[in-house]
């Protein structure tokens, strides 16, 4: 029986067709449809505002710093002097915010497929982007991230991939293949670093993470899987960092703290030298699965997860 104070409105995070997490909400702030996806901004009881695209929870106000610092900071701290950075996706503007904290960065090019998501974030998620869209170093464009890299004649010190998971029929599944990663590599400077969000490391659904890690290894000399617990997702979330000649595991606590002190504007809330050690030391079951994976993700048979919110 429901208690009297039990909230009457819930939203469902369809992690996959068999696992659903639910959050109580105070209300829906925005609900609309773009050419590419369904967009919802809701105010949750526990995590503040959140962005949901096609029933997939993207990030929440109260813990997005864990996700976005994890995605961006290890790559920028690893690079000796990042000046030019590209962000593929990242509609909330929080990955952009993290990039712009670096005083060495003089150009941050962000391309998101969906202008409506960015408009929505600008309006309803100010604590995520914190004005980053109007920073004079930001060059914002709209379109497919793969096409952007194909057409752009520039090279970047760091490329950050913050696109939605590779869902069947969704807009991003072509951005996780070997051929795409080869294109990324051509757009990196010799000491370039590539960082991606790479799905869950849940023991119940490790396939995507391990395949993406294996696929990156086909293209880059060094691939470093890492993970952070994201409370809003209620799971350990996977990332990968790929380079040809830098190694984040060789940086000790003090070196990282020193680089942060010298280069980063404002206080980080999650990432520092100690957190770095935790990020790059994965649990045994994850390491085991990564070492076992042999499948490589190619354009001609791309990995596509089932649409989580769609009932068959
Ligand atoms: N934190 C997220 C997660 O857990 O998946 C990713 C956040 S971010 C909001 C995802 C962004 O990727 C969206 O704004 C979406 O429009 C963008 N996106 C999806 N496919 C894309 C593509 N092919 N090229 C560029 N951006 C894309």
């Amino acid at each position: 029986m429901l208690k009297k104070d039990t909230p009457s409105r819930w939203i469902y995070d369809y992690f996959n067709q068999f696992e659903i997490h639910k959050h109580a909400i105070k209300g829906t702030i925005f609900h609309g449809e773009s050419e590419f996806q369904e967009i919802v901004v809701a105010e949750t009881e526990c995590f503040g505002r959140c962005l949901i695209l096609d029933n997939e929870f993207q990030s929440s106000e109260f813990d997005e710093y864990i996700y976005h610092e994890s995605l961006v900071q290890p790559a920028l701290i690893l690079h000796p002097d990042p000046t030019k950075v590209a962000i593929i996706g990242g509609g909330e503007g929080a990955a952009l915010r993290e990039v712009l904290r670096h005083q060495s960065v003089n150009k941050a090019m962000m391309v998101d497929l969906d202008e409506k998501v960015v408009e929505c974030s600008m309006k309803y998620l100010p604590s995520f982007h914190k004005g980053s869209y109007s920073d004079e170093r930001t060059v914002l464009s709209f379109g497919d991230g793969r096409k952007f890299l194909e057409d752009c004649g520039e090279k970047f010190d760091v490329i950050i991939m913050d696109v939605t998971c590779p869902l069947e029929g969704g807009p991003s599944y072509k951005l996780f293949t070997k051929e795409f990663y080869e294109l990324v590599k051509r757009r990196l400077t010799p000491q370039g670093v590539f960082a991606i969000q790479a799905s869950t490391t849940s023991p119940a659904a490790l396939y995507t993470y391990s395949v993406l890690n294996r696929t990156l290894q086909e293209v880059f000399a060094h691939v470093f899987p890492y993970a952070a617990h994201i409370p809003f997702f209620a799971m350990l979330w996977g990332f990968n960092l790929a380079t040809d000649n830098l190694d984040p595991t060789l940086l000790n606590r003090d070196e990282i703290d020193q680089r942060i002190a010298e280069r980063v504007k404002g206080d980080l809330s999650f990432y520092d030298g100690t957190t770095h050690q935790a990020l790059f030391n994965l649990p045994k079951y994850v390491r085991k699965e990564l070492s076992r994976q042999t499948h490589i993700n190619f354009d001609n048979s791309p990995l596509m997860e089932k649409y989580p919110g769609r009932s068959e």
Side-chain angles (χ1 to χ4, degrees):
M1 222 183 42
L2 288 178
K3 288 198 190 123
K4 245 193 159 171
D5 60 355
T6 301
S8 54
R9 294 191 63 194
W10 297 89
I11 44 169
Y12 297 91
D13 183 1
Y14 289 85
F15 172 59
N16 62 37
Q17 62 270 55
F18 307 115
E19 184 179 343
I20 302 168
H21 302 180
K22 69 179 192 176
H23 289 269
I25 57 166
K26 292 179 179 163
T28 304
I29 290 161
F30 176 85
H31 185 189
E33 189 100 19
S34 76
E35 194 187 330
F36 308 103
Q37 52 213 340
E38 184 193 25
I39 306 168
V40 173
V41 177
E43 180 87 37
T44 65
E45 292 282 354
C46 296
F47 287 91
R49 292 190 177 190
C50 69
L51 175 69
I52 305 165
L53 300 177
D54 278 344
N55 275 333
E56 279 234 307
F57 284 37
Q58 303 294 308
S59 53
S60 90
E61 189 177 352
F62 293 168
D63 74 348
E64 57 79 14
Y65 63 89
I66 300 179
Y67 174 93
H68 290 106
E69 287 185 27
S70 297
L71 174 64
V72 171
Q73 294 304 338
L76 271 96
I77 288 294
L78 177 62
H79 193 281
D81 184 28
T83 58
K84 210 152 122 212
V85 178
I87 300 157
I88 314 291
E92 303 99 324
L96 179 63
R97 176 198 74 211
E98 289 304 314
V99 166
L100 293 171
R101 281 175 180 280
H102 284 255
Q103 310 188 55
S104 61
V105 170
N106 56 39
K107 191 172 186 185
M109 295 184 82
M110 171 174 154
V111 57
D112 194 290
L113 186 67
D114 199 335
E115 191 165 359
K116 249 198 174 164
V117 172
V118 173
E119 269 173 25
C120 235
S121 304
M122 283 179 176
K123 202 163 165 188
Y124 303 115
L125 302 173
S127 73
F128 290 60
H129 59 78
K130 292 206 165 97
S132 301
Y133 287 119
S134 41
D135 191 293
E136 58 185 15
R137 297 168 291 166
T138 299
V139 182
L140 176 64
S141 60
F142 298 104
D144 174 51
R146 184 160 178 164
K147 175 112 182 44
F148 167 83
L149 287 183
E150 274 162 5
D151 295 348
C152 120
E154 313 209 24
K155 291 206 179 219
F156 301 94
D157 299 313
V158 177
I159 298 180
I160 304 285
M161 266 264 294
D162 190 20
V163 297
T164 39
C165 286
L167 298 178
E168 189 174 34
S172 68
Y173 67 86
K174 291 183 181 149
L175 280 66
F176 294 88
T177 65
K178 178 173 182 267
E179 291 85 347
F180 175 72
Y181 294 154
E182 283 165 345
L183 168 62
V184 169
K185 185 165 156 155
R186 290 198 295 278
R187 293 288 172 260
L188 282 170
T189 52
Q191 288 200 298
V193 184
F194 180 43
I196 69 168
Q197 81 87 355
S199 192
T200 180
T201 70
S202 162
L206 252 175
Y207 184 73
T208 299
Y209 187 54
S210 58
V211 168
L212 297 183
N213 179 270
R214 179 71 189 82
T215 304
L216 282 165
Q217 286 181 40
E218 284 297 293
V219 178
F220 290 91
H222 310 291
V223 181
F224 302 93
Y226 64 104
H229 178 75
I230 310 295
F232 187 51
F233 298 166
M235 53 181 74
L236 187 69
W237 202 253
F239 302 87
N240 277 293
L241 191 151
T243 76
D244 274 341
N245 47 31
L246 295 169
D247 185 342
T249 63
L250 298 179
L251 289 175
N252 68 35
R253 281 187 174 80
D254 292 344
E255 283 167 320
I256 290 171
D257 288 338
Q258 196 184 336
R259 287 187 187 191
I260 291 173
E262 286 167 2
R263 303 174 180 190
V264 175
K265 219 171 127 200
D267 281 337
L268 298 175
S269 301
F270 179 70
Y271 182 73
D272 66 2
T274 302
T275 301
H276 180 94
Q277 312 305 322
L279 286 174
F280 285 90
N281 282 287
L282 290 171
K284 186 174 176 184
Y285 76 88
V286 181
R287 285 181 278 128
K288 196 170 167 191
E289 188 56 31
L290 293 180
S291 69
R292 264 206 306 240
Q293 184 55 260
T294 55
H295 188 81
I296 297 159
N297 191 31
F298 290 105
D299 272 354
N300 62 9
S301 59
L303 182 154
M304 287 189 263
E305 296 173 342
K306 279 252 174 275
Y307 243 103
R310 187 180 290 164
S311 46
E312 299 287 317

